[in-house]
């Protein structure tokens, strides 16, 4: 049984995707759920090491157009990112370059209480390079094989002088 290069490329992409998902699932994350009253703030902290990319995910199940203000603070309490969130679910990323305890500060600027779920953690993107290269190699193999098959594909034309 001969295995085609296209199938090998597909397997490489699938293995790389599963590997990446496993790495991301292993990351240390902090989950919180809170009902934030008008003009109140909520903070949660997480310990990050090295230089990498952090993320936060906010989900408001009963969203009806509220606005919240989000800040990410480094270990020295400097603001490294801030943004307004006006959607039911928001995911954002930030770079960190030093070890320490990073803080996410969420402020409700809406006129009513907001029920929200928060996920705050590290992406471990530095560990994803090998799996990313595997996905890239598999995708390139699939594109080259697809191109070669399409390039050599001929469509038969009907005869013009049919009587």
């Amino acid at each position: 049984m001969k295995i085609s290069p296209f199938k090998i490329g597909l397997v490489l992409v699938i293995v790389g995707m599963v590997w990446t998902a496993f790495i991301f699932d292993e990351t240390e994350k902090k989950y919180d759920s809170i009902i934030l009253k008008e003009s109140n703030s909520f903070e949660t902290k997480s310990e990050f090491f090295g230089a990498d990319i952090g993320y936060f995910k906010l989900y408001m199940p009963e969203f009806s157009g509220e606005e919240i203000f989000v800040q990410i603070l480094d270990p020295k309490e400097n603001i490294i990112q801030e943004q307004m969130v006006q959607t039911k679910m928001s995911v954002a990323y930030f770079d960190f370059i030093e070890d320490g305890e990073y803080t996410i500060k969420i402020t409700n600027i809406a006129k009513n209480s907001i029920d929200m779920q928060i996920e705050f953690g590290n992406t471990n993107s530095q560990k994803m390079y090998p799996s990313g290269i595997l996905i890239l190699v598999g995708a390139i193999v699939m594109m080259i094989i697809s191109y070669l098959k399409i390039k050599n594909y001929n469509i038969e034309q009907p005869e013009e002088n049919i009587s």
Side-chain angles (χ1 to χ4, degrees), residues 110-136:
K111 292 183 173 43
N112 52 353
S113 296
I114 299 174
D115 179 20
M116 112 177 17
Q117 298 166 6
I118 304 149
E119 185 177 322
F120 184 52
N122 183 357
T123 61
N124 277 347
S125 65
Q126 300 297 323
K127 293 180 181 176
M128 293 182 192
Y129 282 122
S131 63
I133 291 170
L134 199 63
I135 293 169
L136 179 66

Side-chain angles (χ1 to χ4, degrees), residues 70-153:
V70 180
Q71 291 180 320
I72 305 296
L73 308 170
D74 68 5
K76 297 173 187 162
E77 298 296 317
N78 297 319
I79 298 171
I80 58 174
Q81 181 175 340
E82 59 186 9
Q83 73 182 59
M84 299 287 289
V85 175
Q86 300 170 329
T87 58
K88 185 172 186 165
M89 186 170 95
S90 175
V91 179
Y93 300 90
F94 59 92
D95 295 325
F96 61 90
I97 54 173
E98 60 184 270
D99 296 350
E101 198 170 58
Y102 285 75
T103 306
I104 181 170
K105 183 177 180 181
I106 303 166
T107 305
N108 181 1
I109 56 176
K111 292 183 173 43
N112 52 353
S113 296
I114 299 174
D115 179 20
M116 112 177 17
Q117 298 166 6
I118 304 149
E119 185 177 322
F120 184 52
N122 183 357
T123 61
N124 277 347
S125 65
Q126 300 297 323
K127 293 180 181 176
M128 293 182 192
Y129 282 122
S131 63
I133 291 170
L134 199 63
I135 293 169
L136 179 66
V137 168
I140 289 172
V141 167
M142 288 171 53
M143 286 188 292
I144 290 171
I145 297 304
S146 296
Y147 171 75
L148 293 174
K149 284 187 177 189
I150 291 172
K151 184 181 95 168
N152 294 328
Y153 186 73

Side-chain angles (χ1 to χ4, degrees), residues 1-45:
M1 182 169 134
K2 184 179 176 189
I3 298 176
S4 72
F6 185 84
K7 289 180 183 175
I8 292 172
L10 184 61
V11 168
L12 288 176
V13 169
I14 291 171
V15 168
M17 288 171 34
V18 169
W19 188 2
T20 301
F22 183 71
I23 291 170
F24 190 73
D25 189 50
E26 280 186 335
T27 62
E28 190 171 321
K29 304 172 190 114
K30 188 162 193 168
Y31 298 97
D32 280 309
S33 187
I34 187 167
I35 296 177
L36 201 56
K37 293 189 167 68
E38 178 184 354
S39 301
N40 282 355
S41 293
F42 172 76
E43 290 184 4
T44 187
K45 298 177 186 254

